[in-house]
Amino acid sequence: QILAPTQQLTTTWRSKCQALSPWEKSLLFGLKILNTTKLIEMLITGKAVFTTDGSAPDKASFGWAIAAADKTRLATCFGPTQGFKPSSYRAEGYGALSVLRFLIRFIQHHQIETMPPPQGFCDNESIVDNVKEASSHTEHFANTTLKAARAVINEIVVSRRELLHPP
């Protein structure tokens, strides 16, 4: 079932975003939803694709986009990367985490009950490999918690699980 966005729904979505905890709100800093109805439809039918990126030449930042199979952009976001001496690696991780947190909140807000997992792309092989490796463990080990940007990787793993198995 696809619901047409209304002014009340839009206001409620904005209110919901403003009520998020500071760490999650910062991940949606430059969020623009370009077509709510089509985004819902593409998520339900499994035809939404997302891509993420990040960089840190001076000040670290991230960005992502969600598009339909026909390459129509449906949502975009950008924002700053937090942390002491943020790196390109951390910025890439923030991009992945941001899009996952957006999808979780958007799906919850619009009460999308079932959907295939969205297809995503990240051009940082280390992020992809570290998320896969961290996803294979059910407990944390001291030596792995000291790895670069481990908190970001852990939140990506937790968010992927939440997205695939919503409460």
Side-chain angles (χ1 to χ4, degrees), residues 39-50 66 100 103-104 107 112-120 160 162-166:
L39 178 55
I40 293 169
E41 179 186 343
M42 294 297 104
L43 288 170
I44 290 171
T45 60
K47 295 179 182 172
V49 178
F50 68 83
I66 301 175
L100 292 172
L103 287 168
I104 289 165
I107 289 163
I112 300 171
E113 294 181 13
T114 59
M115 60 175 244
Q119 186 176 17
R160 284 182 68 215
E162 190 175 343
L163 183 61
L164 296 175
H165 307 287

Side-chain angles (χ1 to χ4, degrees), residues 37-158:
T37 304
K38 189 164 184 175
L39 178 55
I40 293 169
E41 179 186 343
M42 294 297 104
L43 288 170
I44 290 171
T45 60
K47 295 179 182 172
V49 178
F50 68 83
T51 185
T52 69
D53 202 5
S55 72
D58 295 316
K59 294 182 181 181
S61 60
F62 67 86
W64 56 258
I66 301 175
D70 67 3
K71 300 181 183 176
T72 303
R73 278 190 295 168
L74 305 172
T76 62
C77 188
F78 66 89
T81 300
Q82 308 296 323
F84 179 70
K85 292 187 180 179
S87 63
S88 178
Y89 177 83
R90 187 176 190 86
E92 294 273 359
Y94 261 69
L97 181 58
S98 173
V99 73
L100 292 172
R101 296 311 306 172
F102 165 74
L103 287 168
I104 289 165
R105 297 303 184 185
F106 187 83
I107 289 163
Q108 287 172 345
H109 177 73
H110 292 284
Q111 301 174 352
I112 300 171
E113 294 181 13
T114 59
M115 60 175 244
Q119 186 176 17
F121 297 94
C122 174
D123 67 355
N124 189 306
E125 192 174 351
S126 294
I127 292 284
V128 174
D129 290 345
N130 287 330
V131 167
K132 285 180 183 176
E133 188 265 330
S135 296
S136 68
H137 300 293
T138 55
E139 57 185 271
H140 301 283
F141 303 99
N143 58 339
T144 60
T145 61
L146 298 175
K147 289 183 178 178
R150 187 56 186 189
V152 176
I153 297 296
N154 188 57
E155 285 301 323
I156 292 170
V157 170
V158 169

